[in-house]
Amino acid sequence: MRFVSAGAAQGLVATLAGREGIAIEGSFGAVGAMVEKFRGGEACDVVILTRKQVAELEREGALAAGSAVDLGGVPTAVAVLAGRTAPRVDDGDCLRATLLAADAIYFPDPARATAGIHFAAVLEQLGIAAAVAHRIRNFPNGATAMREMAAASGHPVGCTQATEIIATPGVQLVGPLPAGFDLETVYTAAVNAKAADPEGARRFVALLGAAPHERRAAGFRVP
């Protein structure tokens, strides 16, 4: 089964595919880059992007009509190295203090990743973007940012989608960004109108929709 998918859903896809014995391949990463890949003609059976992006592609006829299934919302969240005492991030003052105390700040592409775009704006909103600029470590997507952070020493802090933090060994979820700085993104799965295996794709999308426990465990907020 081939995917073009937001990195936020990679852990969930891997878990369910592994349970069902389905081999997966394709691209997982920042949503902006994934939309470019899909529009550029990358072959895939299942597409997982933001609800807004999926709706737009469905209107264009690029996705099979009626195949879209919401997976749930994913909060943009804060991470530290596994085993470390979790800092307070429950309001803007606490978040600012935590980021100023970090010796490196890891987050995804501030131009094409949902969490990266948002967190770059949060740094500006907190008034510390210039102060921490030399400590910023950006990577193409959240999964890569978290893997790189897990290999770091010192006292780094990371920010990306909660699902990517949960899926990465060596880092731990602290909590979502506080009210006033928060962002929750709904991700949606759908079948590519040009899928090589449309029936298999429909079954997998249905499987995703029928797995609320697995989605919650992966970090999705499911109604």
Side-chain angles (χ1 to χ4, degrees):
M1 187 74 58
R2 291 192 60 87
F3 292 79
V4 169
S5 171
Q10 186 170 7
L12 174 64
V13 168
T15 294
L16 291 180
R19 188 185 74 187
E20 301 295 318
I22 298 170
I24 60 173
E25 55 185 11
S27 297
F28 295 83
V31 290
M34 295 304 100
V35 171
E36 290 175 10
K37 284 179 175 288
F38 182 72
R39 290 191 183 281
E42 179 164 326
C44 68
D45 300 296
V46 177
V47 175
I48 305 176
L49 297 167
T50 69
R51 177 192 277 166
K52 180 179 179 180
Q53 290 165 333
V54 167
E56 181 178 346
L57 291 169
E58 188 173 27
R59 284 194 299 272
E60 295 172 5
L63 301 176
S67 68
V69 172
D70 283 344
L71 304 183
V74 177
T76 303
V78 177
V80 294
L81 295 178
R84 298 290 174 85
T85 300
R88 289 184 60 194
V89 296
D90 42 306
D91 59 34
D93 288 342
C94 291
L95 178 62
R96 183 184 295 107
T98 292
L99 294 171
L100 288 173
D103 50 27
I105 300 172
Y106 288 74
F107 64 99
D109 188 342
R112 296 195 291 180
T114 299
I117 293 167
H118 180 71
F119 190 61
V122 167
L123 294 176
E124 294 286 352
Q125 188 180 354
L126 289 168
I128 62 172
V132 302
H134 64 291
R135 300 180 227 167
I136 288 174
R137 308 288 185 267
N138 288 136
F139 295 90
N141 53 66
T144 302
M146 291 301 97
R147 285 196 301 270
E148 292 293 330
M149 181 175 141
S153 58
H155 300 280
V157 171
C159 184
T160 190
Q161 304 299 56
T163 51
E164 294 172 312
I165 298 169
I166 291 170
T168 306
V171 299
Q172 64 180 346
L173 177 68
V174 174
L177 292 171
F181 304 89
D182 54 329
L183 176 69
E184 182 166 296
T185 305
V186 176
Y187 291 94
T188 301
V191 177
N192 184 359
K194 297 180 180 179
D197 182 9
E199 291 308 312
R202 285 185 181 276
R203 286 193 297 272
F204 196 87
V205 170
L207 179 67
L208 288 168
H213 174 74
E214 288 83 354
R215 283 183 279 150
R216 290 189 186 99
F220 287 84
R221 289 180 173 170
V222 180

